[in-house]
Amino acid sequence: MKTTYNQLAGQSSERINAISDAVFGVAMTLLVLEIEVPEIEGDVTEEKLIQAFLTLVPKFLVYFLSFMTAGIFWAGQSAQFRNIEKSDRNLTWINLFLLLFVSTLPFSTSFLGSHIEYKFSIFLYWLNIFFMGMGLYISWNYAYKHGFIAEDTRDIVYEPIKRRILIAQSLYLFGALLCFISPYLSISVIIAIQLNYAFAFISFK
Amino acid sequence: MKTTYNQLAGQSSERINAISDAVFGVAMTLLVLEIEVPEIEGDVTEEKLIQAFLTLVPKFLVYFLSFMTAGIFWAGQSAQFRNIEKSDRNLTWINLFLLLFVSTLPFSTSFLGSHIEYKFSIFLYWLNIFFMGMGLYISWNYAYKHGFIAEDTRDIVYEPIKRRILIAQSLYLFGALLCFISPYLSISVIIAIQLNYAFAFISFK
Amino acid sequence: MKTTYNQLAGQSSERINAISDAVFGVAMTLLVLEIEVPEIEGDVTEEKLIQAFLTLVPKFLVYFLSFMTAGIFWAGQSAQFRNIEKSDRNLTWINLFLLLFVSTLPFSTSFLGSHIEYKFSIFLYWLNIFFMGMGLYISWNYAYKHGFIAEDTRDIVYEPIKRRILIAQSLYLFGALLCFISPYLSISVIIAIQLNYAFAFISFK
Amino acid sequence: MKTTYNQLAGQSSERINAISDAVFGVAMTLLVLEIEVPEIEGDVTEEKLIQAFLTLVPKFLVYFLSFMTAGIFWAGQSAQFRNIEKSDRNLTWINLFLLLFVSTLPFSTSFLGSHIEYKFSIFLYWLNIFFMGMGLYISWNYAYKHGFIAEDTRDIVYEPIKRRILIAQSLYLFGALLCFISPYLSISVIIAIQLNYAFAFISFK
């Protein structure tokens, strides 16, 4: 049997983790470049400076939201690969698919930050989260079906991680649909979902 | 015999991988900075927002194309170094040569995105891919000739990886030459080649 | 007992270190993007070039200050995780909280660089340092209380690292409050504190 | 004896390598952001596009020069830490000092690229290289004097690596001083020195 390139490529989950940390780290840090130090017209005073900063507050909120989003998906990817022992070419590309939508996060964040009160901005932002969720979900299922998850924990970890992705994505979809009632309500609910996942309020109960 | 610096530098393939992951990760994420949130003139409406976004679609296509390009070469570099056990100063510099053209990818992508219908843009983009391919090819041959590939897999992996680089580069050249018929045909064929390598349709047959 | 996602996420301190190095590394390098090569009006001469460069000196000082700030907190995070053996979901998120304020450092640096003589700029910069300090402090205490610190060094390392964070934060607060006397005095004292921590003058005594 | 923070911080050379790879990787990739796709006035034609690209050639040359500079110092730092087994707080900060001047490289590159025919630009660029060289030199000597270099190779590796830094820095100084005859001669000689170190022509003899 001839050895093909496809059998040789992608077994290193270490490298997948390294490129993931690089892309997540850069995306998280680039997000802040959207927030520019305001130009002050006329003489600068402490009051003008404070006011100028306050106009940036919505941008900071969107920034914090996106940092949390990136953090949640980074934690999700980490949780998967702590349990994944092997890898192949397809799993590599599924993860690059996930990273593709991590790297578009600065764009959809900036779009939302500039036009926060429009349904379309929320739709784009949700779409970005949806594709990242898809990436995580396909990655996890693929790893499960191809026996890449460590055997001893395989049956313990598969369901909770899968369930979590599905529940989170359902909540995001629900939050996004609320934009038909009010964009601000929609964003608030999405932020609440993020805070829940980030700070795990439920798990403290 | 006097020990020279050249004998001491470059044996760590771990560090080559780390700097590669950093450069690939940054380049992949920087690509999206080219896509700016559009300014809307006059009153903003949902329709205007959607139209403004639609004008960005070509830029997104070029972005996806370049992310795939970076991913393909990253996967190629990974595949090589999974089999390379040792390294030296020259192999380090061959890989830095590869990374040099990874880091120019945001430029040639942006150039193509701005002037997608010109032969010269396609030529520049192809040249970028060609230099990356050269980097991979020289790296692999150098590692083979100097016995840096793990002995047990050496003869199994050398040919498939080498063949793959040559076939891919031939296809890219063919795709690029199609720009004399039509630039759009040329780009479509290059994208098709990328999709083939990224998603390995052939290997699913 | 049902295994929940929260028990499965976040045990890998290796990944926390990797994402931290990425975010710190990007933030440190992005800081310099604030310093733009000056445009020279009229004919360029050596004298004009030197003068143009000299106008950038305050920006370079603020840049060096921020690089040191990032370095100090990176060294602090490293010192913690050299002693932390285990991790969980909450510790992961505490560290992401720290990284959030690492990634805002380019903004608060740029704000300070643009309006160096105002109390509010110093307040913002101090606030950024304060949140990073909070991140380090909560992380260390959490790790201690949950038994994540290596047992053999646990009681030796806990107090010195904790004390150091508290002393440093007290000094920063003192330095920041000096802005009510003079902003320049305030910044000079903060720089002196940083230099002390970076170069450990005290430890050379 | 009381354990102080300084004894606890900085023993991990692994983390020094990780932050170094991140800073070098980002700096190498950011360099290309200086090169912007040219705006074409009037109708775009293939000829205009080629001409616009040709005006960028000097910027590309400076870019390649700086990528090589970064690569040379990265290879130098790697060569040191392949031999360094232990680390402490001071060695960490010496390496952060080196990284500080890695991160200013995009600035001094951009300065040189904008004003290539002036002595002051060459002086700034040389100064940047000089500080990086100082960082490498101090790091290596410090590691040697404090017994951080692996004992078995210590006496073999110390002199060649030290000598190399001193020779390289002497050559750079010589190259920079040539700017009093002609800036272009100066840059050409610096590039020749870089090429020599990058491609190790001498070692092929």
Side-chain angles (χ1 to χ4, degrees), chain D residues 151-180:
Chain D
E151 266 187 54
D152 50 336
T153 53
R154 194 167 187 248
D155 296 320
I156 308 169
V157 297
Y158 176 63
E159 279 299 332
I161 290 184
K162 183 179 139 193
R163 201 170 46 233
R164 182 186 157 85
I165 300 170
L166 293 177
I167 294 174
Q169 289 297 321
S170 310
L171 290 173
Y172 288 134
L173 179 60
F174 168 74
L177 286 174
L178 288 176
C179 76
F180 287 102

Side-chain angles (χ1 to χ4, degrees), chain B residues 3 5-6 8-11 15 18-19 22 89-90 92-93 96 100 103-104 107 110-111 115 118-121, chain D residues 17 21 32 35 37 44 46 49-50 53 60 63-64 67 72 74 76-77 82 156-157 160 164 197-198 200 203:
Chain B
T3 304
Y5 178 86
N6 292 342
L8 303 171
Q11 291 88 345
R15 290 298 296 275
I19 195 81
R89 174 188 165 72
N90 292 324
T92 300
W93 275 100
L96 287 174
L100 174 60
S103 78
T104 57
F107 173 82
S110 172
F111 202 98
H115 306 292
Y118 294 91
K119 290 188 199 72
F120 183 66
S121 316
Chain D
N17 286 342
D21 290 332
V32 88
I35 311 177
V37 174
V44 180
E46 296 283 352
L49 219 52
I50 295 173
F53 177 74
F60 268 103
Y63 169 66
F64 289 152
F67 194 94
I72 286 167
W74 174 78
Q77 199 270 357
R82 203 165 33 250
I156 308 169
V157 297
R164 182 186 157 85
Y197 280 108
S203 77

Side-chain angles (χ1 to χ4, degrees), chain A residues 3 5-6 8-12 15 18-19 22 89 92-93 96 99-100 103-104 107 110-111 115 118-120, chain B residues 17 21 32 35 37 44 46 49-50 53 60 63-64 67 72 74 76-77 82 156-157 160 164 197-198 200 203:
Chain A
T3 305
Y5 179 86
N6 291 342
L8 303 172
Q11 292 88 345
S12 163
R15 290 298 296 275
I19 194 82
R89 176 188 164 72
T92 300
W93 275 99
L96 287 174
L99 294 182
L100 174 60
S103 78
T104 57
F107 173 82
S110 172
F111 203 98
H115 306 291
Y118 294 91
K119 289 189 198 71
F120 184 66
Chain B
N17 287 342
D21 290 331
V32 90
I35 312 178
V37 174
V44 180
E46 297 283 352
L49 220 51
I50 295 172
F53 177 76
F60 269 103
Y63 169 67
F64 289 153
F67 194 95
I72 286 167
W74 173 79
Q77 198 271 356
R82 204 165 33 253
I156 308 169
V157 298
R164 182 185 158 87
Y197 280 108
S203 77

Side-chain angles (χ1 to χ4, degrees), chain B residues 77-146:
Chain B
Q77 198 271 356
S78 294
Q80 287 195 7
F81 276 82
R82 204 165 33 253
N83 295 293
I84 291 175
E85 285 184 331
K86 274 171 284 180
S87 173
D88 69 358
R89 174 188 165 72
N90 292 324
L91 192 61
T92 300
W93 275 100
I94 294 166
N95 273 272
L96 287 174
F97 174 85
L98 167 63
L99 295 182
L100 174 60
F101 291 99
V102 173
S103 78
T104 57
L105 200 58
F107 173 82
S108 54
T109 299
S110 172
F111 202 98
L112 183 61
S114 306
H115 306 292
I116 201 164
E117 67 275 35
Y118 294 91
K119 290 188 199 72
F120 183 66
S121 316
I122 293 171
F123 168 74
L124 271 189
Y125 197 81
W126 167 78
L127 199 66
N128 203 141
I129 288 182
F130 173 73
F131 279 125
M132 290 196 290
M134 251 181 69
L136 276 188
Y137 184 81
I138 298 173
S139 167
W140 189 234
N141 261 324
Y142 185 89
Y144 180 73
K145 286 187 182 152
H146 289 74

Side-chain angles (χ1 to χ4, degrees), chain D residues 183-203:
Chain D
Y184 285 107
L185 175 66
S186 176
I187 289 172
S188 307
V189 169
I190 292 176
I191 291 179
I193 300 166
Q194 307 276 47
L195 283 172
N196 173 48
Y197 280 108
F199 294 101
F201 289 145
I202 288 165
S203 77

Side-chain angles (χ1 to χ4, degrees), chain C residues 102-123:
Chain C
V102 173
S103 78
T104 58
L105 200 58
F107 174 82
S108 55
T109 298
S110 172
F111 202 97
L112 184 61
S114 307
H115 306 291
I116 201 164
E117 67 275 35
Y118 294 91
K119 290 189 198 70
F120 184 68
S121 315
I122 294 171
F123 168 74

Side-chain angles (χ1 to χ4, degrees), chain A residues 38 40 43-58 60, chain C residues 107 111 115 118-124 180:
Chain A
I40 313 271
D43 292 340
V44 179
T45 62
E46 296 283 352
E47 287 69 33
K48 278 189 186 171
L49 219 52
I50 296 173
Q51 273 169 0
F53 177 75
L54 292 178
T55 62
L56 297 176
V57 168
F60 269 103
Chain C
F107 174 82
F111 202 97
H115 306 291
Y118 294 91
K119 290 189 198 70
F120 184 68
S121 315
I122 294 171
F123 168 74
L124 271 189
F180 287 102

